[in-house]
Amino acid sequence: MSDLAGNRFDETAAGASWDYTLVDGTPPQATTIAPVPGARVASLAQIEVGFNEAVTGVDAADLRVNAQPATNFLVTAAGTYRFQFPPAPTG
């Protein structure tokens, strides 16, 4: 281990310590979406999205259909979210 100048860390020096942060640079990927994008449905009351890892900070407004945010969402399993929508107007 070394600093930005290339100086090797001396773990034997008095008071030697270090701090580090682990960074996950790979964003979560949606692995399942139901109904599948492009599917024709008679009405759309909910969309379920599953991710390949746990995600945080999910909110109902994160998913929109025709510019309208979901009204509610549920965590159905680790990394799987069900977004619920009000009935669309007829016509």
Side-chain angles (χ1 to χ4, degrees):
M1 182 182 299
S2 60
D3 64 16
L4 294 175
N7 301 311
R8 185 184 172 289
F9 176 71
D10 182 2
E11 67 276 1
T12 64
S17 68
W18 67 85
D19 292 319
Y20 60 92
T21 302
L22 296 176
V23 177
D24 179 359
T26 305
Q29 300 291 314
T31 55
T32 58
I33 302 174
V36 296
R40 291 184 176 260
V41 295
S43 65
L44 184 65
Q46 64 187 25
I47 296 174
E48 190 163 293
V49 182
F51 294 93
N52 64 338
E53 63 182 73
V55 294
T56 59
V58 177
D59 185 275
D62 292 336
L63 187 61
R64 296 173 177 264
V65 172
N66 296 329
Q68 297 301 310
T71 55
N72 191 32
F73 83 98
L74 306 165
V75 179
T76 59
T80 304
Y81 300 88
R82 182 177 298 146
F83 295 85
Q84 298 172 324
F85 296 89
T90 57

